Amino acid sequence: MKAITVEPKKPGSARWEEVSEPDVSEGSVLVEAVAVGVCGTDVEIVEGKYGWPPPGQTRLVLGHESLGRVLDPGPSGGFRKGDLVVGIVRRPDPVPCPNCAVGEWDMCRNGEYTERGIKEIHGYMSERWRIEPEYAIKVDPSLGLLGVLLEPMTVISKALEQVVMVGRRSFWEAETVLVTGAGPIGLLAACGARLFGKEVHVLDRVETGPKPELVRALGATYHSGSILGVPFEPDAIIECTGVGSVIADAIQKIGAGGVLCLTGVGGGGLSGYAVADVAAKVVLKNNVLVGSVNANKRHWYKASRALAQADRSWLGRLITRREKPESFEQALQRTPDDIKVVIQFSEA
Ligand SMILES: [Zn+2]
């Protein structure tokens, strides 16, 4: 079979090449790839900035936003031939740390977790892949290709859960939610918050095109420009840009008792705010800044339910381009109108 592989930390080493069939040791469920979404992490790995091959190997099969069809469910039960499934990305560290020991691998404390397509385990950009049944999530069959959006939705399921859990420290329930960034994560955050029945606002740089239209189609309000120009103080902000100036302004803008959940990972961005002034604002307004990354099985389950509830035609508009695996290089090039690009291996 063929797979998209890369030699991590070596720029320009990605290839669509012949590899051996997945080994039974990788899981008892055999899956035919349908599609794999591309995200910034994949681009970073291909650029040689990130990623680790499996121990004793030099190349890594890329891809972590999976969707596949079960070819052979194996002996475990629970799956049937033809089921649409998505593979969980992270595996607990082998020590394990207390959080991994209780299934909270998203909260791993020693950093020794592994991740498919990113860190020491082959990913899902191969014609066939195997998975342990306990790490495969069944997708509502009516979603079809849209099931490829499940992995990004898990990031949002966890982030929203974190906001709700932090909010329990006092008499508080978010009514207004501001999402910063209208990329796939931001748009799915807006979709998720709407499913919770919240008043949702989304802020991004662009003023025209599909992003403002997609926000309005959710019944949410679109803003462009600075957060400081948003005419109210949000109860919760889901930060999805990782841009320093946006984060700094979000801290200024969050309402009293409000929660700012950071999901974007960026770098740099000196702010004009003095640290103790920022701290004083956070103290005097009882704000919480909480970082959220990855997702555990509970979030995968919640995300699969949320995706199944979401409007199919709206979700379909998030997938702006489909590329063949042999054209993976085009899939990794982002154009201004792209929201989510997927590499399609077979029909859903
Ligand atoms: Zn751990």
Side-chain angles (χ1 to χ4, degrees):
M1 67 164 185
K2 293 185 102 173
I4 299 165
T5 70
V6 63
E7 187 176 331
K9 311 276 168 66
K10 191 173 173 190
S13 63
R15 290 200 294 260
W16 168 239
E17 65 172 349
E18 198 65 36
V19 297
S20 48
E21 289 287 331
D23 191 79
V24 184
S25 65
E26 292 169 36
S28 58
V29 182
L30 179 65
V31 179
E32 170 192 33
V34 170
V36 184
V38 173
C39 83
T41 303
D42 299 308
V43 175
E44 284 190 352
I45 294 171
V46 168
E47 288 174 347
K49 294 175 183 163
Y50 201 69
W52 296 262
Q57 299 183 39
T58 53
R59 298 188 72 81
L60 172 76
V61 176
L62 199 62
H64 57 278
E65 297 185 5
S66 65
L67 174 69
R69 187 184 297 100
V70 173
L71 285 177
D72 178 0
S76 63
F79 293 98
R80 282 195 281 187
K81 189 173 189 288
D83 281 347
L84 281 179
V85 291
V86 172
I88 291 178
V89 179
R90 192 175 283 192
R91 299 291 178 276
D93 79 75
V95 175
C97 76
N99 290 71
C100 285
V102 299
E104 289 186 354
W105 52 71
D106 58 315
M107 305 294 283
C108 181
R109 291 201 229 165
N110 64 21
E112 291 181 36
Y113 58 81
T114 52
E115 287 178 333
R116 290 197 68 157
I118 302 170
K119 190 168 182 274
E120 297 171 12
I121 334 176
H122 288 311
Y124 298 110
M125 286 184 186
S126 52
E127 291 176 298
R128 284 169 292 285
W129 40 269
R130 281 188 171 273
I131 189 154
E132 316 88 319
E134 63 273 27
Y135 289 101
I137 301 289
K138 224 182 271 187
V139 169
D140 187 311
S142 73
L143 282 166
L145 179 68
L146 303 173
V148 77
L149 298 170
L150 180 55
E151 194 277 343
M153 195 59 162
T154 66
V155 173
I156 293 313
S157 284
K158 177 177 174 187
L160 294 177
E161 191 190 83
Q162 292 284 307
V163 170
V164 169
M165 289 171 101
V166 168
R168 286 200 196 119
R169 74 203 162 119
S170 64
F171 182 64
W172 180 87
E173 192 181 338
E175 293 189 351
T176 54
V177 177
L178 173 66
V179 177
T180 51
I185 295 287
L187 288 167
L188 287 171
C191 173
R194 285 294 294 148
L195 290 172
F196 271 108
K198 302 301 174 189
E199 180 188 324
V200 177
H201 298 254
V202 180
L203 179 133
D204 195 283
R205 282 178 300 187
V206 299
E207 290 173 4
T208 56
K211 290 176 176 179
E213 288 166 25
L214 281 161
V215 169
R216 289 181 198 117
L218 284 174
T221 308
Y222 187 82
H223 304 264
S224 60
S226 164
I227 297 184
L228 300 177
V230 172
F232 68 100
E233 293 188 341
D235 296 325
I237 299 180
I238 312 293
E239 205 300 299
C240 306
T241 70
V243 174
S245 58
V246 175
I247 297 165
D249 287 346
I251 298 170
Q252 296 301 311
K253 195 69 189 178
I254 189 82
V259 181
L260 167 56
C261 182
L262 305 172
T263 71
V265 179
L270 294 173
S271 98
Y273 301 107
V275 174
D277 293 349
V278 172
K281 191 264 165 195
V282 170
V283 170
L284 295 171
K285 288 196 153 184
N286 281 296
N287 294 137
V288 177
L289 274 57
V290 57
S292 179
V293 71
N294 201 257
N296 66 39
K297 197 165 183 178
R298 181 173 74 248
H299 308 123
W300 281 82
Y301 181 78
K302 285 183 173 182
S304 74
R305 305 244 312 207
L307 212 57
Q309 284 176 50
D311 182 85
R312 301 289 186 276
S313 66
W314 185 87
L315 288 175
R317 290 163 69 193
L318 299 186
I319 300 177
T320 47
R321 199 149 52 90
R322 301 190 229 168
E323 297 284 1
K324 293 186 171 135
E326 53 267 38
S327 312
F328 73 91
E329 277 166 337
Q330 277 101 294
L332 293 166
Q333 304 283 335
R334 211 170 293 176
T335 71
D337 287 334
D338 280 333
I339 296 173
K340 176 56 70 183
V341 177
V342 305
I343 298 176
Q344 191 159 1
F345 289 77
S346 63
E347 286 303 312

